[in-house]
Amino acid sequence: MPLIKKLDPKVSRLIAAGEVIERPASALKELLENSLDAGATAVSVEITGAGKKSLRVSDNGKGMDPEDCRLALERHATSKIDEIEDLSSLGTYGFRGEALYAIAAISRLSLQSAVEGAANGWRISAEGGSLGDSQPAAPARGTTIEIRDLFFNTPARLKFLKSDAYEKSALLAVFEEAALANPTVRWTYKSEGRTVLQLPPEKPLPPGEGFSKRLAAIWGHELSVGLLPLTLERPGVKFWMFASPPGKLNASRNFQAWFINRRPITSRVLQQALYRAYREHRTSERHPVCAAFLELPPSAFDVNVHPGKREVRFKSERELFEMVESLLYGALAKSKQPATLTVSPRAESLFQERSPRYDAGHSAAAQALPLESRPAEAFETLSDGPLWFTPPYRYLGQIEKSYLVFECSGGVFILDQHAAAERILFERYAAELEIGSVAVQQLMLPLPVELPASRLARILDRAPQLARLGFSIAPYGKTTLHILTAPALLNAGELKETVLRLLDSVESPAKTLADMRRHALSTIACKAAVKAHDATTAEGALRLLEDLKDCRDGSSCPHGRRAMLALNRDELARRFQRPGAP
Ligand code: ADP
Ligand code: MG
């Protein structure tokens, strides 16, 4: 008997569906793309049960006639492609003709649609892929697709989903991206019976007020106001972007969006170009905010590399890198001028004089992309540490506004004031965390943090863990988070910055409390100590030394940088080549 059997078509259909639709958010993405492909100018979304119970998208697009309503649910049925050649010249989001088929296979779906001027519309439902009869329905132009009980017949897939908060956040993130990419469309988003986002249509592209307003509605005003508008047009390429001016970089790296022909994408090359352009304007902790739109002929890039259609490959990566990098680099250099900057094609040569090297390897990205701080555990201790803490000490003074010099036990040692302060705060906070009671300060006024609704949902899900780190948070409206308390040892002036960095780190559901603690520790110690560069009194210097003495590892700052240097009696003798020196 042969071992290999052909799969039952029902089974292979479920497998194929699983590849296209991973979670409710992937179904939503497909439905939104279909609505946009149908030319909708208003799209509304309604979700219950985090998209698992029901997910409904209504649009006012061109609609379908009764025959198309049935065809739409069949495999490889699409109105968007006829010939294989079409693949390379496609201007629509969809083309596989697979999404509705896949969704219908793993849900209870109903589709209602009407074309302009039809006497009535049509409604058809399907369950686990079997189509029911069509029935007449109201003749309102457009399409409504409702998906109920997604994954009802694929329990394994259902189990694989994450918390409701995570799935809701993923759904909203898909919606936010579509809304950013299509500012002229009116969008409404309801979740569990409540309106979360309601976005009026904005003025058409190219860039201007309209997009800014949409950006502010999604990313918040604080981030979106004052971004530099840039545009560039070349044969076959239109590019425009909003990007941080040099003084307005952000502690979060989550506000960077790229779109190609209105499709949200990620691209290593574009990200490298972005960070490279900012290289003179940023420290490793600050990130540019950017929303960038590229219009390219479909044949210039390939979105087919990934089934999720996100990571894009370009035919001419190098040109694109140089275009984006030099446009942005030049604009940043000039941004002191108050006028908004528009680069005409003629001005290009100006930027071309400086030809940035595109690094085909990834070293540029490695430099540009923020590195996680080293884990706190990885420090070496100075083997002869304790010797240097033997009193009496004498404070000799501060040099370079950064180092404190002491004489002690016949030698000299030098503290890096900033590193020492960081280490002390780090260990205090670590000790508080260990005993599970972090001293908190109640903020006089709640500190508002504006966030996209999708991120807010995900962060609120982590509220209990954040509370254990000393931060209590509460939602304030749909896109603002209030910070109510913070660890007592945190400097008020640095609070916002610290919170933004911390929030960036807590969103991943895989983050354990231990990971969050470690990250909070190094972020907070660093921020809390940042003011340590002030001139120090002898008293303050000695206190710092005493406190450092109590530390488990006083020899380095929490990032592993050295906190102290010592020259003991023997070492001094050896350096001065004294007779009898060891
Ligand atoms: P694709 O988008 O790849 O063509 P889908 O399975 O997503 O495949 O959709 C199949 C077809 O159904 C589309 O090509 C389109 O003709 C039609 N369709 C789907 N959704 C809509 C909609 N909201 N409005 C009008 N037509 C739609
Ligand atoms: Mg589609």
Side-chain angles (χ1 to χ4, degrees):
M1 220 176 77
L3 291 176
I4 299 177
K5 283 178 249 157
K6 275 209 151 181
L7 283 177
D8 183 321
K10 266 195 196 150
V11 176
S12 60
R13 178 174 201 180
L14 291 182
I15 294 173
E19 279 163 12
V20 185
I21 307 298
E22 260 195 317
R23 51 175 16 101
S26 18
L28 178 63
K29 180 165 186 279
E30 295 294 342
L31 297 187
L32 295 184
E33 289 184 354
N34 281 345
S35 295
L36 292 165
D37 281 346
T41 57
V43 180
S44 63
V45 176
E46 224 176 310
I47 307 284
T48 65
K52 291 175 274 184
K53 212 161 152 211
S54 79
L55 201 166
R56 195 164 78 142
V57 174
S58 305
D59 68 51
N60 64 353
K62 67 174 187 256
M64 287 173 272
D65 66 17
E67 199 183 340
D68 277 343
C69 285
R70 293 194 83 83
L71 279 171
L73 300 176
E74 284 179 19
R75 184 159 211 193
H76 303 311
T78 176
S79 56
K80 301 167 196 171
I81 185 168
D82 285 327
E83 303 279 339
I84 188 71
E85 288 80 59
D86 284 2
L87 258 180
S88 57
S89 61
L90 218 64
T92 54
Y93 283 114
F95 56 83
R96 287 184 169 82
E98 223 164 22
L100 286 183
Y101 166 85
I103 295 169
I106 50 176
S107 69
R108 302 187 168 99
L109 181 146
S110 93
L111 183 164
Q112 181 175 328
S113 196
V115 292
E116 181 86 65
N120 55 298
W122 290 92
R123 185 188 157 86
I124 179 165
S125 42
E127 177 164 335
S130 328
L131 303 197
D133 293 333
S134 319
Q135 283 152 13
R141 175 190 143 132
T143 304
T144 297
I145 294 185
E146 183 171 33
I147 303 167
R148 278 176 301 112
D149 308 321
L150 187 62
F151 303 124
F152 81 96
N153 53 353
T154 52
R157 182 59 67 174
L158 198 58
K159 244 189 251 154
F160 167 83
L161 297 181
K162 303 213 166 88
S163 71
D164 279 7
Y166 181 90
E167 298 301 339
K168 279 187 200 169
S169 159
L171 283 160
L172 253 174
V174 162
F175 179 85
E176 286 166 355
E177 273 186 338
L180 264 188
N182 299 276
T184 54
V185 173
R186 174 190 299 280
W187 296 91
T188 316
Y189 191 95
K190 270 191 189 169
S191 174
E192 320 298 341
R194 290 170 56 206
T195 303
V196 180
L197 285 171
Q198 206 159 15
L199 307 167
E202 303 293 352
K203 279 185 232 144
L205 308 177
E209 246 182 274
F211 180 74
S212 290
K213 279 196 197 146
R214 180 56 60 85
L215 196 64
I218 294 183
W219 282 1
H221 280 275
E222 213 178 303
L223 269 182
S224 321
V225 164
L227 297 178
L228 292 176
L230 304 168
T231 60
L232 176 70
E233 248 190 279
R234 286 185 187 174
V237 188
K238 261 194 199 162
F239 178 71
W240 62 275
M241 102 191 279
F242 280 92
S244 296
K248 204 172 177 272
L249 276 75
N250 197 266
S252 167
R253 67 181 100 146
N254 275 324
F255 297 95
Q256 294 165 4
W258 300 93
F259 299 90
I260 296 192
N261 300 353
R262 293 180 302 124
R263 186 192 292 281
I265 57 118
T266 59
S267 150
R268 239 199 128 80
V269 178
L270 291 174
Q271 210 203 10
Q272 279 183 24
L274 176 73
Y275 275 89
R276 195 162 164 87
Y278 279 95
R279 66 194 174 281
E280 288 160 18
H281 304 286
R282 62 180 286 275
T283 60
S284 62
E285 288 174 12
R286 318 234 87 217
H287 304 277
V289 171
C290 108
F293 289 75
L294 256 168
E295 280 172 43
L296 291 173
S299 58
F301 65 97
D302 185 8
V303 284
N304 229 344
V305 276
H306 188 267
K309 293 181 261 172
R310 265 206 94 95
E311 176 72 31
V312 162
R313 240 187 247 153
F314 298 101
K315 291 255 164 67
S316 43
E317 294 206 318
R318 196 196 158 84
E319 283 78 10
L320 203 60
F321 175 93
E322 293 189 353
M323 182 190 88
V324 172
E325 198 269 352
S326 60
L327 173 68
L328 193 51
Y329 183 90
L332 290 173
K334 282 187 175 178
S335 70
K336 300 259 148 53
Q337 298 166 4
T340 58
L341 191 87
T342 304
V343 181
S344 67
R346 211 178 47 76
E348 267 168 42
S349 57
L350 209 131
F351 299 118
Q352 232 109 71
E353 283 165 22
R354 238 191 69 268
S355 115
R357 247 188 36 244
Y358 170 56
D359 198 342
H362 294 310
S363 66
Q367 261 179 12
L369 298 177
L371 299 170
E372 283 281 309
S373 357
R374 271 209 268 156
E377 280 77 7
F379 314 135
E380 333 129 271
T381 339
L382 266 193
S383 53
D384 60 347
L387 182 69
W388 297 99
F389 294 130
T390 316
Y393 330 107
R394 194 155 63 91
Y395 174 55
L396 299 178
Q398 189 197 43
I399 52 174
E400 289 285 310
K401 287 200 176 143
S402 312
Y403 308 105
L404 307 178
V405 187
F406 298 85
E407 179 196 0
C408 122
S409 204
V412 180
F413 73 84
I414 305 171
L415 287 189
D416 179 323
Q417 199 176 328
H418 178 71
E422 253 183 56
R423 165 54 64 180
I424 292 161
L425 288 167
F426 178 84
E427 293 209 2
R428 276 197 197 145
Y429 186 50
E432 290 181 357
L433 285 177
E434 214 161 280
I435 58 167
S437 120
V438 172
V440 298
Q441 49 181 322
Q442 194 80 37
L443 303 180
M444 295 243 282
L445 290 173
L447 177 76
V449 179
E450 286 181 313
L451 289 166
S454 58
R455 295 190 57 211
L456 191 73
R458 211 176 295 185
I459 288 165
L460 283 174
D461 199 36
R462 312 294 275 179
Q465 287 95 327
L466 282 167
R468 289 171 69 177
L469 300 174
F471 295 91
S472 37
I473 58 171
Y476 181 77
K478 306 288 168 34
T479 55
T480 306
L481 191 68
H482 269 174
I483 312 292
L484 307 173
T485 70
L489 48 76
L490 199 56
N491 194 325
E494 297 296 334
L495 193 56
K496 184 115 192 192
E497 181 90 21
T498 313
V499 165
L500 287 175
R501 286 190 63 193
L502 191 67
L503 294 184
D504 259 10
S505 76
V506 304
E507 285 175 69
S508 145
K511 278 265 156 83
T512 62
L513 185 59
D515 289 336
M516 282 174 61
R517 268 191 197 171
R518 188 175 307 131
H519 191 89
L521 261 170
S522 65
T523 307
I524 285 173
C526 183
K527 286 300 160 199
V530 103
K531 291 263 150 63
H533 278 251
D534 307 341
T536 306
T537 58
E539 201 190 9
L542 287 166
R543 193 161 355 100
L544 196 71
L545 181 64
E546 285 295 335
D547 288 344
L548 194 65
K549 213 164 96 178
D550 294 337
C551 285
R552 261 184 279 180
D553 177 7
S555 63
S556 62
C557 83
H559 303 95
R561 199 161 58 72
R562 189 187 278 278
M564 57 181 288
L565 270 178
L567 273 179
N568 66 18
R569 183 186 288 126
D570 293 344
E571 185 64 24
L572 281 172
R574 196 166 55 230
R575 298 262 170 132
F576 285 109
Q577 298 159 316
R578 291 239 168 162

